[in-house]
Amino acid sequence: MSQLVKDIDKQLEIIRRGTAEIIPEEELIKKLERSIKENSPLKVKLGMDPTAPDIHLGHTVVLHKMRQLQELGHDVVLILGDFTGRIGDPSGRSETRKQLTDEEIKRNVATYKDQVGKILDLSRARLVYNSTWLGALSFSDVVTLAAKYTVARMLERDDFERRYKEGIPIGIHEFLYPLMQGYDSVALKADIELGGTDQKFNLMVGRDLQREFGQEPQVAITMPILEGLDGVQKMSKSLGNYIGISESPREIYGKSMSITDELIVRYYELVTPVTNDEVKKIKDSLASGAVHPRDAKMNLAQELVTMFHGNEAALEAEKEFVAVFQKGEMPEDIPDVFLTESERGSEGIIWLPKLLSLAGLVNSTSAGKRLIKQGAVKIDGEKIIDLEYRVALKSGMIIQVGKRKFARLVF
């Protein structure tokens, strides 16, 4: 267990790093002062619903803040929302979420533990399931809980208000979600709750419910939503602008090198463990021109790969990146793609977008056409820009899409 840091200014400097809001900061200061005086760590809560099997870098922003609070000596509690996950958080949704089955939730929970452990020290964290207390509530308990909030208050949420005005259905169970998340704070007697800026309403419900149950309300700390590789929209698997923390070292390194220059410092600040002093040095060096953005990105890529795969994997990923993208060499371990006889066709000639799809390099032929048009597709090192190009297949042929995707045909 980490010793509680007794310097309140040091604690505040670290807690404020990268945060969007601390609501309210004066209450946080009082809690920290009491915590130091009584040598009693604060209880820090973060809830994560296991709605998908994989976590991307955007999800780790709040995990890094939790790790910082852990290192300051506070008690961190990660709630795996096996109960709330059955509904799904309606925050930011334009329609009702599809409800997950118990099997899907259990499968996702198993992967979350492993991935979260790459950032949090799980030996010094509590992992709990909110089905423990939510599943124990009777229908009478739920009615009593629901009576503590009004429909008008719920409709203050931007997403609910918009859906209501546009006539888009809102399920009654969706109103229960903020109440369940808020009740998590009551069950844990949380001092601090972390969340993204899209979670602000839910975090404030937690404060309200704690008051209703006679508890001191938690402080809500919100973190920014991380922009994806395009530098504009939030990081999302559906938008394809993400870095998955379970991806290969090569993918994480290569994707990190493709972020916009404007996001370099933001990524260092929000999703790496480097110190505040180091972040400031990087920011100043980039501003003065003492460090080239490419070099700052290479260091960032190393930090990220090391975090998720270890130092040796980071060194290998950098070595391959330099060889492939700076020296123009082919990667050493190009994956083999086996095409069946029926896939090759009787003449062994195939439309290029279809080949890209069969090789698993694109999700659809339309995506393949788009990449061909952009000049991002090569066959044995030759760029192809003809959308109707027919490929005469041969075993050992190497297909390249963009800077990072390669496949070797085998048959």
Side-chain angles (χ1 to χ4, degrees), residues 206-227:
R207 282 175 57 83
D208 292 339
L209 289 185
Q210 284 180 307
R211 288 193 195 94
E212 290 281 344
F213 281 87
Q215 296 179 14
E216 181 180 285
Q218 65 189 13
V219 170
I221 298 179
T222 62
M223 299 300 295
I225 304 299
L226 187 69
E227 296 87 352

Side-chain angles (χ1 to χ4, degrees), residues 276-289:
N276 286 355
D277 288 342
E278 289 177 287
V279 172
K280 186 177 185 306
K281 285 179 184 176
I282 292 163
K283 183 177 181 179
D284 292 344
S285 297
L286 286 168
S288 67

Side-chain angles (χ1 to χ4, degrees), residues 42 152 169 175 261 279 307 323:
L42 298 178
F175 280 174
D261 292 354
V279 172
M307 194 186 317

Side-chain angles (χ1 to χ4, degrees), residues 121-223:
D121 181 352
L122 294 184
S123 69
R124 297 188 289 115
R126 282 178 58 201
L127 266 67
V128 296
Y129 299 89
N130 61 11
S131 61
T132 305
W133 50 84
L134 292 176
L137 295 178
S138 67
F139 193 78
S140 177
D141 294 330
V142 173
V143 171
T144 300
L145 182 61
K148 296 183 183 299
Y149 237 73
T150 67
V151 171
R153 289 293 305 277
M154 285 294 178
L155 289 176
E156 289 175 4
R157 279 180 56 144
D158 291 342
D159 39 23
F160 283 158
E161 182 184 25
R162 183 176 62 254
R163 286 163 64 182
Y164 181 72
K165 286 181 177 177
E166 294 177 2
I168 299 171
I170 302 170
I172 295 297
H173 68 292
E174 294 183 89
F175 280 174
L176 294 177
Y177 187 95
L179 294 176
M180 290 193 296
Q181 183 172 331
Y183 191 77
D184 288 348
S185 296
V186 173
L188 290 175
K189 296 182 171 64
D191 293 303
I192 296 173
E193 182 174 9
L194 302 176
T197 51
D198 58 345
Q199 290 290 304
K200 182 176 177 178
F201 184 90
N202 294 343
L203 273 57
M204 300 307 284
V205 171
R207 282 175 57 83
D208 292 339
L209 289 185
Q210 284 180 307
R211 288 193 195 94
E212 290 281 344
F213 281 87
Q215 296 179 14
E216 181 180 285
Q218 65 189 13
V219 170
I221 298 179
T222 62
M223 299 300 295

Side-chain angles (χ1 to χ4, degrees), residues 11-72:
Q11 286 211 45
L12 286 170
E13 178 191 353
I14 291 171
I15 292 171
R16 287 168 178 154
R17 167 175 165 169
T19 56
E21 282 188 279
I22 298 174
I23 311 169
E25 186 167 308
E26 58 269 22
E27 286 186 23
L28 174 64
I29 292 171
K30 289 179 182 178
K31 285 179 183 285
L32 291 173
E33 288 173 341
R34 185 174 66 235
S35 167
I36 292 171
K37 181 180 179 180
E38 298 175 359
N39 194 31
S40 176
L42 298 178
K43 188 176 291 183
V44 183
K45 165 201 171 190
L46 171 64
M48 295 185 75
D49 284 349
T51 51
D54 297 312
I55 294 174
H56 59 62
L57 210 58
H59 298 129
T60 72
V61 173
V62 288
L63 289 171
H64 279 283
K65 183 56 62 182
M66 198 172 208
R67 176 62 186 252
Q68 290 163 14
L69 284 156
Q70 186 178 50
E71 291 175 344
L72 289 172

